[in-house]
Amino acid sequence: MASNLKKKAGKREVIIKEAAFLFKEKGYGSASMRDLAERVGVEAASIYSHIKSKDEILEEICFRIAGEYVSHISKIENEKSSYTDKVKAIINLHIRLMVEDAASVAVTNNDWKSLSEPKLSIFKTLRKGYEARFARLIEEGIAKKEFAPMNVSVAMFTILSSIRWVELWYNPERSITEKELEKDITNLLLKGLKK
Amino acid sequence: MASNLKKKAGKREVIIKEAAFLFKEKGYGSASMRDLAERVGVEAASIYSHIKSKDEILEEICFRIAGEYVSHISKIENEKSSYTDKVKAIINLHIRLMVEDAASVAVTNNDWKSLSEPKLSIFKTLRKGYEARFARLIEEGIAKKEFAPMNVSVAMFTILSSIRWVELWYNPERSITEKELEKDITNLLLKGLKK
DNA sequence: CCTACCGATCGGTAGG
DNA sequence: CCTACCGATCGGTAGG
C-alpha cells in the first residue's frame, strides 16, 4: 500500500525526467507524447493521469530551473565576499546545475520560447530579474575596481552563455572532473586567454 | 519576362529567409509549413514549387552557415599573424555572422539536431572538423606562450558558445555598435573580467 | 493504466 | 500558384 502510493507519487517525476531527456534530444516541438509514453513504458493516454498537458511538462522543467537560479543568487548577493568571489559563485552555480541536470538546463535554454502565455511572460520576467541582479554585481565590481571597466551587459551575457556548451560536451566519462572544468572556465573568464 | 524569371529565382530565397525567422521564433518542430506560407504570402501547397520538403529548408540554412565558418577558417589559418590575432579573427567572424544573419545562425545553433540522416552526420562531421581546427590554433598559441596553459577543449567551447547570447540581445537599435560589441567581447575573452 | 477514439493539424501530392 | 484533398500523426478525452 505504502509502496503503491510511493510509486504513484514517483511516476510524475519519472515522466518529467524522461520528458527532459526527450525534449533535449528532439526539441520540444518535434517530440510527441507517444515518444514520451514509450520511454516511460505506458500507453500515450496514460500519461494524462499524471500531467495535464504537454505544455505543463515544459512549464515544470523551465520553472524548476529558473527557481534554482533565483533562489541561489539571493544567497550569493548576501555573502560577505569580494565581487570576484560572487561572480565565481555564479559561474559555479551554472556549471553545477548543468552537470547535475544537463537535460533540464538544456531544455530551458533551448525551448523556453515554446512556453505559452501567461507562463511565457512570467518566465521572461524571472529571467530578466536574474540578469539584472547579476549585472548589478558586475557593475559594483567595476565600481570597486575589482573588474576592468567594460559594458556590463556584454560581460554578463558573455559569462552566462559561455557555460552553455557544457551541455553538448561534458559527460561523466570525460577525463576531466567537474572541479577541473570549473577551474578552467572560471580562470578563462576572470583572467582571459592571454598569458 | 526577364523580371518574371528573376522573381521566380528570388522566391526560393524569400522562402528560406522567412523560414529562418520562423524557425528561430518558434523552433523547427513547432513551426508549420502553413505558418511559413502565410509569411511568404502564398498557399501552403505553393511552397512546394520552390522547395522539396520542410527538411530541405533546414538543411539549406544549416549548411550555408556551416559553409561560412569552414571557408573563413582556412583564410585565418593561412594568415601570417600571431595566434592572438587568429583567435581575434575567429571571434570577429562569429560576431559578424551573428549580426548579419542572426536568424540563420540561431536556427543552426538551436535546431541542427532536427536534421535527418545522412545530413545530420555530415553536419556533425563538418562541425567537428571546424572545432578541431580552432582547437589547434589555441593549442599552438599555448605552445608559443601567447596563451596561458589550459585545457584546450574548454577554452575553445567557452569562446565559441560565449557569442551565442548576441542573438537574443543584440539588435540594430541598441546604443552599442557592432565594433564596440566586438571589442568588448574580445577583450573579455582575451584579458578576462579581472582588472 | 488500458482500449477506443476524437477533431485538428501536419507535411505533402495531384491536377490544372 | 491555386483548389482540393490524402494518409499520418498530433494532443487529448471518455469510459471503464
Side-chain angles (χ1 to χ4, degrees):
Chain A
M1 198 69 145
S3 112
N4 238 330
L5 278 171
K6 203 179 170 205
K7 230 177 179 173
K8 215 176 179 199
K11 199 71 176 219
R12 190 166 197 274
E13 280 313 301
V14 172
I15 289 168
I16 290 168
K17 200 173 170 183
E18 288 298 328
F21 282 113
L22 178 67
F23 294 169
K24 185 196 163 186
E25 261 176 36
K26 307 188 77 164
Y28 177 76
S30 300
S32 77
M33 296 300 275
R34 280 155 180 88
D35 290 337
L36 177 56
E38 199 180 355
R39 267 176 175 273
V40 175
V42 296
E43 290 302 314
S46 307
I47 296 274
Y48 292 91
S49 333
H50 301 96
I51 53 102
K52 276 191 303 208
S53 63
K54 189 186 177 188
D55 239 72
E56 193 193 43
I57 301 176
L58 183 63
E59 286 164 15
E60 190 97 18
I61 292 170
C62 292
F63 281 88
R64 278 186 199 182
I65 294 298
E68 287 278 350
Y69 288 130
V70 172
S71 75
H72 281 92
I73 200 167
S74 301
K75 259 194 279 181
I76 292 169
E77 286 169 336
N78 292 328
E79 269 167 19
K80 292 212 181 308
S81 62
S82 66
Y83 288 101
T84 304
D85 282 342
K86 285 178 196 290
V87 169
K88 273 187 187 172
I90 290 175
I91 294 171
N92 167 281
L93 168 63
H94 281 255
I95 294 173
R96 191 169 52 77
L97 282 179
M98 183 68 92
V99 169
E100 273 175 11
D101 192 357
S104 294
V105 174
V107 169
T108 305
N109 278 331
N110 295 328
D111 294 325
W112 62 268
K113 284 178 184 172
S114 294
L115 249 18
S116 43
E117 294 292 358
K119 296 285 183 167
L120 177 59
S121 293
I122 299 170
F123 180 85
K124 283 183 183 170
T125 303
L126 275 180
R127 214 184 49 159
K128 284 212 170 183
Y130 179 78
E131 288 167 0
R133 291 163 82 176
F134 185 15
R136 203 157 56 126
L137 292 180
I138 295 174
E139 205 166 18
E140 290 172 359
I142 293 173
K144 291 272 164 61
K145 319 267 185 193
E146 277 188 50
F147 305 142
M150 68 182 75
N151 183 299
V152 172
S153 293
V154 171
M156 179 195 66
F157 283 119
T158 302
I159 292 171
L160 284 184
S161 66
S162 67
I163 296 151
R164 284 188 60 173
W165 65 269
V166 174
E167 160 215 335
L168 291 167
W169 180 82
Y170 184 79
N171 75 59
E173 279 94 41
R174 290 267 174 203
S175 58
I176 193 169
T177 66
E178 187 187 334
K179 275 276 157 272
E180 286 169 328
L181 183 68
E182 193 187 309
K183 198 194 69 187
D184 280 347
I185 294 177
T186 307
N187 265 335
L188 178 57
L189 291 172
L190 289 177
K191 296 185 202 161
L193 188 63
K194 273 203 145 177
K195 192 157 190 179
Chain B
M1 199 72 144
S3 111
N4 236 331
L5 277 170
K6 202 177 168 207
K7 227 175 179 177
K8 210 166 184 208
K11 199 72 176 217
R12 191 167 196 272
E13 280 313 303
V14 171
I15 290 169
I16 291 167
K17 201 174 168 183
E18 288 299 328
F21 283 113
L22 178 66
F23 294 169
K24 184 197 164 186
E25 261 176 37
K26 308 187 75 164
Y28 177 76
S30 299
S32 78
M33 295 301 273
R34 281 156 180 88
D35 290 337
L36 177 56
E38 199 181 355
R39 266 174 174 274
V40 175
V42 296
E43 290 301 314
S46 307
I47 295 274
Y48 292 91
S49 333
H50 301 96
I51 54 102
K52 277 192 305 212
S53 62
K54 188 184 179 189
D55 239 72
E56 194 195 39
I57 301 176
L58 182 63
E59 286 165 15
E60 191 97 16
I61 293 169
C62 292
F63 280 89
R64 278 186 198 182
I65 295 298
E68 288 278 351
Y69 288 129
V70 171
S71 75
H72 281 92
I73 200 167
S74 300
K75 261 194 278 181
I76 293 168
E77 284 169 336
N78 292 327
E79 270 166 17
K80 291 213 182 307
S81 62
S82 66
Y83 289 101
T84 303
D85 282 342
K86 285 178 196 290
V87 169
K88 273 186 186 172
I90 290 176
I91 294 171
N92 168 280
L93 167 65
H94 281 255
I95 293 173
R96 190 169 53 78
L97 283 179
M98 183 68 92
V99 169
E100 273 174 12
D101 193 358
S104 293
V105 174
V107 170
T108 305
N109 278 331
N110 295 329
D111 293 326
W112 63 268
K113 284 178 184 170
S114 294
L115 250 16
S116 44
E117 295 292 358
K119 298 285 182 166
L120 177 60
S121 294
I122 298 170
F123 181 86
K124 283 184 184 169
T125 304
L126 275 180
R127 212 184 51 160
K128 284 212 169 182
Y130 179 78
E131 288 167 359
R133 291 163 81 177
F134 185 15
R136 204 157 54 125
L137 293 180
I138 295 173
E139 203 166 19
E140 290 170 1
I142 294 173
K144 292 272 163 63
K145 318 268 186 196
E146 277 188 50
F147 304 142
M150 69 182 74
N151 184 301
V152 171
S153 292
V154 170
M156 179 195 66
F157 284 119
T158 301
I159 292 171
L160 285 184
S161 66
S162 67
I163 296 152
R164 284 188 62 173
W165 64 269
V166 174
E167 160 215 336
L168 291 166
W169 179 82
Y170 184 78
N171 74 58
E173 280 94 42
R174 290 267 175 203
S175 58
I176 193 168
T177 66
E178 188 187 332
K179 274 278 155 272
E180 287 170 328
L181 183 68
E182 194 187 307
K183 198 194 72 186
D184 279 349
I185 294 177
T186 308
N187 264 337
L188 178 57
L189 290 173
L190 288 177
K191 296 185 201 161
L193 188 63
K194 274 201 146 178
K195 190 159 192 178

